[in-house]
Amino acid sequence: MKKQRAFLKWAGGKYSLVEDIKRHLPAAEVLVEPFVGAGSIFLNADYERYILADINPDLINLYNLLKTDPVMYISEARRWFIPDNNRKDFYLSTRKAFNESDDILFRSLAFLYMNRFGFNGLCRYNKKGGFNVPFGSYKKPYFPEAELEFFAEKAKKAEFVCVNYRDSFAMAPQGAVIYCDPPYAPLSTTANFTSYAGGGFSLDDQARLADVAEKTALERDIPVLISNHDTALTRRLYHGAKLNVVKVKRTISRNGAGRNKVDELLALFSPSE
């Protein structure tokens, strides 16, 4: 089966790891994702239904709009992808309007536009909650029409919720499996560690997530798979899990020459037999 791409560009997206992650995801009726991001695992998995969460309301509002009214959303979004909008001044004025608006349709359309016309598909907010990714200067940004249509069709089986990971764990029913793709632990204690949706994901959060995952597996019989960097810290945090190492290409320095293989850890917390 052909791998499906997400319609959003996403730092740390799991497209390249889909096969490895699917191989380690237990069979279940429901897949719960507390950190859905661009949704590469959801798009390529085969479950009866999905509970997909993220703490970024812009992301979840966009997904719910696309699910409920895909024809309207896609036709409105298409209008943004014209050469005249591929200018720094238009991008910056859109970003300013986005940060001042609370209109869900406008924000959802501008979010996709900024994702494709902004720098590297980053999704980043300042401390006040303002989107602050710079203009991307691409020749011709791609309008992901087929990817939007595929997502909208598959979204019929999904529930999208804007909650934190603890609340999404609580929503997991019996017969579910949980896949977590949290913001990754730093490769070193000096690595700068930016957040995706305001309020960063600290080392304490990494530890709490591991704790909730282990308890959920042991006390509720719901298996939990977590992906993260393979470091001494993450191995300590996931000591109660079955660990699998995956090699993946990832840019870890600002110049292209810094593309090194960084090991990824897939930690599976299973119910006790």
Side-chain angles (χ1 to χ4, degrees), residues 10 15 17 23 26 32 49 97 103 107 109 140 142 151 162 165 168 193 213 215 219 238 241 252 257-258:
W10 207 253
Y15 181 77
L17 284 183
R23 206 164 38 245
V32 180
R49 62 189 187 93
D103 182 88
R107 284 182 72 96
L109 292 165
K140 190 185 178 191
Y142 168 70
F151 191 104
C162 185
Y165 70 87
S168 52
F193 199 39
K215 282 192 172 129
E219 295 171 11
Y238 306 145
I252 56 165

Side-chain angles (χ1 to χ4, degrees), residues 99-172:
N99 286 333
E100 292 169 355
S101 173
D102 55 11
D103 182 88
I104 286 175
L105 176 58
F106 173 75
R107 284 182 72 96
S108 297
L109 292 165
F111 188 84
L112 176 60
Y113 162 78
M114 292 188 298
N115 176 265
R116 286 281 166 179
F117 287 73
F119 181 72
N120 260 7
L122 291 175
C123 178
R124 196 183 64 195
Y125 301 79
N126 62 25
K127 286 193 168 67
K128 292 180 179 169
F131 193 85
N132 65 357
V133 175
F135 181 59
S137 298
Y138 298 110
K139 272 206 176 98
K140 190 185 178 191
Y142 168 70
F143 179 55
E145 184 155 9
E147 291 85 348
L148 283 159
E149 288 171 349
F150 185 89
F151 191 104
E153 182 60 33
K154 187 135 191 193
K156 291 174 182 174
K157 293 180 167 186
E159 178 185 356
F160 299 100
V161 288
C162 185
V163 297
N164 64 39
Y165 70 87
R166 288 179 295 277
D167 290 344
S168 52
F169 267 79
M171 291 173 77

Side-chain angles (χ1 to χ4, degrees), residues 5 23 117 185 234 263:
R5 281 197 180 274
R23 206 164 38 245
F117 287 73
T234 53
D263 287 347

